[in-house]
Amino acid sequence: MFLAVQGQGELRTISGTVQDTSGKPLPYASVLIKELKLGVLTDDNGFYTIKNVPKGKYRLAISFIGYGTQVLPFEMEDSGISINFTLQESTENLNEVTINGKSNETKLETKGFAVSAINTEEASLRNIQTNELLNTTVGVKIRQNGGLGSDVTYSLNGLSGNSVRIFIDGIPISTYGNSFNLNSIPPSMIKNIEVYKGVVPGHLADDALGGAINIVLHNDAKTNFNASVSYGSFNTLQASVNGLYRFDKSGFTVKASLFHNYSDNDYKVSGRSVVVTGLGGIQTPITARRFNDAYRSTGGRAEIGFTDVEWADQFFLGITGSDDYKEVQHGAFMTITPYKDRFLESDALLGSINYQKKNLFTEGLDVNVNGLYGKRNRAVNDTVSWAYSWTGERAIDFRGDEYQYTWRSQQEGGPTLAKIKRNVASIRSGVSYAINDQHKISANHVYSGIDREDSDELQSVLENTFVGTRDLNKNIYSLTYELTAFDEKLNTSLFVKHYQQKTTSVDPAIESDENGNDVIVDEVVSSNKNYDGYGFAASYEILPNITLLTSAEKAIRLPNETEIFGNDGDNVVANSSIDPESSNNYNLGFRFGNFNIKKHAFTISTNVFTRNIKDRIGLPIETSLNVDDELIIYVNQGSGTSKGFDAQLNYSYNNNFGLNFNISKFDLKIENQGIEIDVPNTPFFTMNGGFRYSFKNLIQKKSRLNAFYNVYFTDEFSFLTAQGSNTVGNEFFEVPQQLSQDIGLSYAFPDNRFVVSFDVKNIFDEPVYDNLSVQKPGRAFYLKLNYAINKF
């Protein structure tokens, strides 16, 4: 139904919205000027814009899978016009409409990079954490050391840990600290997620060796409000509120978001280390509940500024604050004597500035600046000397007596009330200039700085006086040239990067002066290193919707603060002599789609990759059977190679049924003491799949019930290197093959403002393990309520 036509005053531009009869925007609807064969897809909010339309009379065709097609004649004069459409759902076959436009996700995935674009709109209505959403992405494996709030690392095509960089709007997430991370940020705050594997574009200038995950937060300039609350197993509560209000006349905009998460994490565990030691030292395996693993995080962000004004597309000044509390059940491994009353506390308070402007001063010149500055604190509390068993009671020795650790704390090393105070800063700036439709150049810079000071209240004043300081400053520059040719069939991106990192350690010491008196002096150890990298990405549309993708990069990854200076809270020991790691990364793949055949739509993407790694940073390659150590240290493992493939299928029918499936398989070998071995604690073969089905007009007209099913498969892997040719007993270190399945329902009421969802995780209560064989939660139930207003 045609709603409105009016002059907009913008030269030869047609724009408007497409929605269904309930007022819900229809994203990625086809909008085509038939005579010009010029078209686009609507954005996430159902909005479209077609620019530079010549004067004349035309017909505008609007279509969407599962809905009727509308064709409207219009006449383009000097001034722009606005045409809004409402489409009726239809069971008839749609007339096929071929368009040149692509969704934002499709544009990103056809630039040549091995990249996946994840839309979070659907996930934000369900009981899904951001990490769970990432875990369904091809080539991505989330390594989580337990339940909600536990330590998480990310694996992309075999490269993991700090080789994979996480960003929030291009700012390294490490700047925000432990209390503001992907455990705590709800999907409702996120617009979409970009996952780059192996080759990272210049605009994300950072030392991301194995890839990058960029979390793009909502930046819409339209007034909106969203609130959700979820409750479920293990006393898990998750709540979030976010909203934006814009004054139309002035462009003044206020936006804010809040979140709160809590879980007891008291799920059941079993296995080789979950035992009770009785008289005579006899160990009896049991199934126990975790009892010192609670997690709480609270945080928020508030910003004020202007949007869509003459001098800025976006300008915001903001403040981000967060606080979390995490009990620690054990060290790097699950041991027979778990911790009790060891916990961590973190907080952060950061100021931010965000400026974006397209076509600044002249057409094609775009500028963006994102900056953060503030404080992060972390405390480790460990003062209980009694030993405990998995029953939660005090452990007994072989005589039956309760006993205490001689070191008077849960973790070896002695009691501690350690504090780490950090002043942190990060600023990302970028300038790009489109010379014309074919040529574009851009320059980007990221600075990250950490000023760290350690102390411990249980140490004497004199000992704290002699605690050193640690500083780390990093600058990364990139220059990119982009070429589009042959009617946009060819897209290329060439980039160079320069890496610079300076670390400074200052430790007080006592020396004798020329008179023989003791004086305090500072021993300063400083390092300033520079490296260069380069790469390219290219895509070529061989046939319509069949695209060849290839990319390569010489990547550098500098050791981070934790790897160099250590971190007591994460059981990490310092290693000041660790070297950067480097890798030559290559990708080659195809993307088939999106193909639309009547009511069917599907996309297939594939990628073959290899990573030639030098001085890989990771945990030591174990050469003994001692895996009960509580402490870990990062070292240069040696040179190695990761090679493999991944593939993904997405299929939908009539906008009601959706199916996705992906597979990833690779080898990761490292040369250790002249012998090539498989890297331990790495799953080499994973598969994920899922489907959804929508039931329309169930119970109420214009309502929708969505049913979901997801399955996650991880092949067996070992967390210890094979001990020579004798494999007897190696099964003790095998993480078994795992198959976990989830189901869920979500019901959207007619006005689409209120959604109720119910999810069951790990429905068959299968044992699921991850890092170093630490067990993760079993079957769990969650109920979520979500309320949203997109218009006031």
Side-chain angles (χ1 to χ4, degrees):
M1 180 176 68
F2 167 63
L3 293 182
V5 179
Q6 62 181 8
Q8 298 295 306
E10 186 176 346
L11 185 61
R12 296 194 302 277
T13 295
I14 182 169
S15 62
T17 60
V18 181
Q19 60 185 22
D20 63 15
T21 53
S22 68
K24 179 182 178 180
L26 295 178
Y28 317 129
S30 303
V31 182
L32 176 75
I33 300 176
K34 302 191 71 163
E35 288 74 13
L36 300 176
K37 295 184 179 180
L38 179 64
V40 296
L41 298 181
T42 57
D43 64 13
D44 293 335
N45 299 304
F47 185 79
Y48 73 91
T49 300
I50 305 177
K51 297 182 179 180
N52 300 320
V53 181
K55 292 183 180 180
K57 296 182 179 180
Y58 307 100
R59 290 173 299 161
L60 190 66
I62 310 293
S63 66
F64 189 70
I65 294 176
Y67 289 75
T69 300
Q70 291 189 31
V71 179
L72 180 76
F74 72 96
E75 183 173 358
M76 178 60 71
E77 298 291 347
D78 285 337
S79 61
I81 62 173
S82 174
I83 305 179
N84 300 329
F85 288 87
T86 297
L87 298 185
Q88 298 272 358
E89 292 186 75
S90 173
T91 57
E92 302 296 327
N93 291 338
L94 296 177
N95 296 324
E96 292 191 33
V97 178
T98 303
I99 67 168
N100 297 324
K102 297 178 179 179
S103 69
N104 291 332
E105 285 82 2
T106 302
K107 288 179 181 178
L108 184 66
E109 293 178 351
T110 53
K111 283 189 173 183
F113 295 94
V115 58
S116 298
I118 308 169
N119 191 298
T120 63
E121 181 180 6
E122 185 177 272
S124 66
L125 304 178
R126 298 183 58 206
N127 293 285
I128 295 180
Q129 298 176 38
T130 305
N131 279 326
E132 291 178 277
L133 188 62
L134 281 168
N135 206 33
T136 65
T137 306
V138 61
V140 181
K141 179 63 178 175
I142 303 299
R143 313 298 306 281
Q144 187 158 5
N145 235 25
L148 182 67
S150 59
D151 186 44
V152 177
T153 59
Y154 304 85
S155 175
L156 297 181
N157 294 150
L159 298 185
S160 61
N162 293 307
S163 295
V164 177
R165 294 298 194 208
I166 315 296
F167 301 89
I168 297 180
D169 287 334
I171 292 289
I173 197 171
S174 57
T175 307
Y176 292 88
N178 293 73
S179 52
F180 195 81
N181 55 43
L182 299 193
N183 270 321
S184 56
I185 302 174
S188 62
M189 289 177 60
I190 300 171
K191 180 180 180 181
N192 63 279
I193 304 173
E194 303 165 352
V195 180
Y196 293 91
K197 289 167 280 190
V199 181
V200 180
H203 74 270
L204 289 178
D206 205 348
D207 55 331
L209 184 87
I213 299 172
N214 186 33
I215 307 298
V216 182
L217 300 181
H218 281 293
N219 60 358
D220 299 332
K222 297 179 180 179
T223 298
N224 63 81
F225 174 82
N226 181 282
S228 67
V229 60
S230 166
Y231 184 78
S233 298
F234 322 122
N235 194 27
T236 301
L237 173 69
Q238 296 180 279
S240 67
V241 177
N242 55 76
L244 177 146
Y245 191 87
R246 183 178 187 272
F247 295 86
D248 292 336
K249 290 185 178 180
S250 65
F252 182 73
T253 305
V254 179
K255 62 178 181 178
S257 57
L258 297 169
F259 64 82
H260 176 75
N261 304 285
Y262 178 83
S263 180
D264 288 336
N265 282 323
D266 58 344
Y267 57 91
K268 293 180 179 180
V269 291
S270 59
R272 65 179 184 86
S273 299
V274 185
V275 299
V276 171
T277 303
L279 293 174
I282 298 175
Q283 294 181 346
T284 304
I286 65 169
T287 297
R289 284 193 176 273
R290 295 171 76 96
F291 53 85
N292 186 55
D293 203 27
Y295 171 72
R296 182 197 68 245
S297 67
T298 304
R301 168 184 281 192
E303 296 176 278
I304 60 171
F306 293 87
T307 56
D308 294 339
V309 292
E310 184 177 352
W311 51 275
D313 297 333
Q314 287 198 26
F315 173 74
F316 283 108
L317 295 175
I319 186 170
T320 299
S322 57
D323 176 270
D324 80 346
Y325 166 86
K326 178 70 177 75
E327 295 175 349
V328 182
Q329 183 73 90
H330 48 72
F333 301 87
M334 291 179 66
T335 52
I336 61 175
T337 53
Y339 299 161
K340 190 168 186 178
D341 292 326
R342 176 179 168 89
F343 62 89
L344 313 174
E345 293 178 297
S346 304
D347 64 79
L349 186 63
L350 303 152
S352 64
I353 183 171
N354 177 16
Y355 177 78
Q356 297 179 30
K357 181 68 176 79
K358 292 185 177 181
N359 302 320
L360 180 67
F361 305 130
T362 184
E363 183 78 18
L365 180 63
D366 300 343
V367 176
N368 66 80
V369 178
N370 265 310
L372 280 174
Y373 177 78
K375 295 181 178 295
R376 283 175 22 214
N377 301 306
R378 197 174 200 201
V380 182
N381 189 307
D382 189 347
T383 60
V384 176
S385 59
W386 290 102
Y388 288 87
S389 74
W390 278 103
T391 63
E393 304 296 327
R394 290 180 182 175
I396 58 174
D397 59 21
F398 68 95
R399 300 186 186 90
D401 298 327
E402 296 177 351
Y403 66 95
Q404 295 177 285
Y405 296 122
T406 56
W407 50 83
R408 298 180 295 114
S409 61
Q410 296 294 287
Q411 181 178 294
E412 294 184 29
T416 182
L417 291 174
K419 290 186 178 180
I420 300 176
K421 295 182 178 180
R422 298 176 177 92
N423 293 319
V424 296
S426 183
I427 186 166
R428 177 179 65 90
S429 53
V431 179
S432 65
Y433 179 64
I435 302 171
N436 51 40
D437 290 341
Q438 288 77 42
H439 305 276
K440 182 179 180 180
I441 57 174
S442 59
N444 291 271
H445 168 245
V446 169
Y447 164 79
S448 299
I450 298 173
D451 179 2
R452 169 174 156 176
E453 181 178 338
D454 297 18
S455 64
D456 194 326
E457 291 183 15
L458 293 186
Q459 293 180 344
S460 66
V461 174
L462 181 61
E463 287 175 308
N464 278 316
T465 301
F466 281 81
V467 171
T469 60
R470 306 288 182 259
D471 297 338
L472 185 149
N473 294 279
K474 180 170 66 177
N475 287 280
I476 299 176
Y477 308 85
S478 70
L479 183 65
T480 304
Y481 167 70
E482 297 177 62
L483 169 68
T484 303
F486 306 120
D487 294 327
E488 299 186 0
K489 290 183 178 180
L490 175 67
N491 290 278
T492 62
S493 176
L494 305 174
F495 56 85
V496 293
K497 298 178 182 179
H498 179 73
Y499 309 85
Q500 179 266 330
Q501 179 168 282
K502 181 179 181 181
T503 61
T504 304
S505 299
V506 180
D507 292 295
I510 296 179
E511 293 184 0
S512 297
D513 61 15
E514 56 186 12
N515 299 320
N517 298 318
D518 290 340
V519 294
I520 298 176
V521 297
D522 286 336
E523 293 182 348
V524 180
V525 178
S526 181
S527 172
N528 192 354
K529 297 181 179 180
N530 292 268
Y531 303 89
D532 293 303
Y534 46 85
F536 81 93
S539 68
Y540 185 78
E541 190 174 60
I542 303 171
L543 295 170
N545 289 331
I546 300 179
T547 306
L548 171 69
L549 309 166
T550 182
S551 58
E553 181 180 8
K554 177 190 176 184
I556 306 292
R557 209 273 284 180
L558 306 167
N560 68 10
E561 173 205 1
T562 297
E563 292 162 341
I564 299 172
F565 302 138
N567 190 319
D568 289 340
D570 292 329
N571 298 39
V572 182
V573 178
N575 183 359
S576 59
S577 62
I578 195 168
D579 292 322
E581 60 181 337
S582 61
S583 180
N584 294 323
N585 299 337
Y586 305 95
N587 296 300
L588 178 65
F590 287 89
R591 191 179 193 276
F592 304 88
N594 187 15
F595 290 105
N596 291 290
I597 304 173
K598 295 185 178 179
K599 297 182 180 182
H600 305 271
F602 67 91
T603 302
I604 300 174
S605 58
T606 64
N607 185 48
V608 178
F609 61 87
T610 181
R611 315 279 187 254
N612 299 319
I613 312 158
K614 181 181 178 182
D615 294 327
R616 183 179 189 264
I617 297 175
L619 301 180
I621 302 295
E622 293 283 354
T623 56
S624 71
L625 299 184
N626 176 19
V627 294
D628 287 332
D629 292 339
E630 298 175 357
L631 302 176
I632 57 176
I633 184 172
Y634 288 98
V635 299
N636 294 110
Q637 295 175 331
S639 300
T641 302
S642 174
K643 55 184 178 181
F645 75 94
D646 54 45
Q648 177 167 278
L649 165 68
N650 290 307
Y651 167 80
S652 65
Y653 174 76
N654 197 27
N655 204 39
N656 272 0
F657 176 77
L659 170 70
N660 63 80
F661 172 79
N662 64 66
I663 181 173
S664 177
K665 185 175 177 59
F666 63 91
D667 293 316
L668 177 57
K669 297 184 181 297
I670 205 81
E671 189 174 299
N672 183 46
Q673 298 179 354
I675 302 175
E676 191 176 65
I677 58 173
D678 289 329
V679 173
N681 195 35
T682 302
F684 297 111
F685 180 34
T686 59
M687 292 188 294
N688 300 311
F691 66 79
R692 67 166 180 84
Y693 190 84
S694 297
F695 302 88
K696 300 177 182 178
N697 302 315
L698 188 68
I699 303 176
Q700 297 172 289
K701 288 186 177 180
K702 299 181 182 179
S703 66
R704 185 184 293 261
L705 176 69
N706 294 316
F708 303 92
Y709 168 80
N710 291 96
V711 58
Y712 312 90
F713 170 82
T714 303
D715 202 9
E716 66 178 18
F717 61 97
S718 175
F719 59 85
L720 189 74
T721 303
Q723 307 298 305
S725 59
N726 182 8
T727 60
V728 176
N730 277 3
E731 64 276 4
F732 186 72
F733 307 103
E734 291 289 334
V735 177
Q737 193 177 89
Q738 300 169 65
L739 185 71
S740 177
Q741 301 171 73
D742 302 341
I743 58 173
L745 295 170
S746 69
Y747 183 80
F749 285 78
D751 60 4
N752 285 301
R753 291 184 175 182
F754 189 56
V755 179
V756 179
S757 62
F758 177 73
D759 285 79
V760 184
K761 306 291 179 66
N762 194 358
I763 54 178
F764 296 111
D765 202 24
E766 292 291 325
V768 181
Y769 305 90
D770 215 321
N771 288 329
L772 305 169
S773 199
V774 175
Q775 192 168 347
K776 298 199 290 186
R779 182 166 48 233
F781 304 88
Y782 300 95
L783 178 69
K784 183 175 184 178
L785 309 178
N786 194 96
Y787 183 77
I789 302 176
N790 292 318
K791 297 178 181 178
F792 286 141

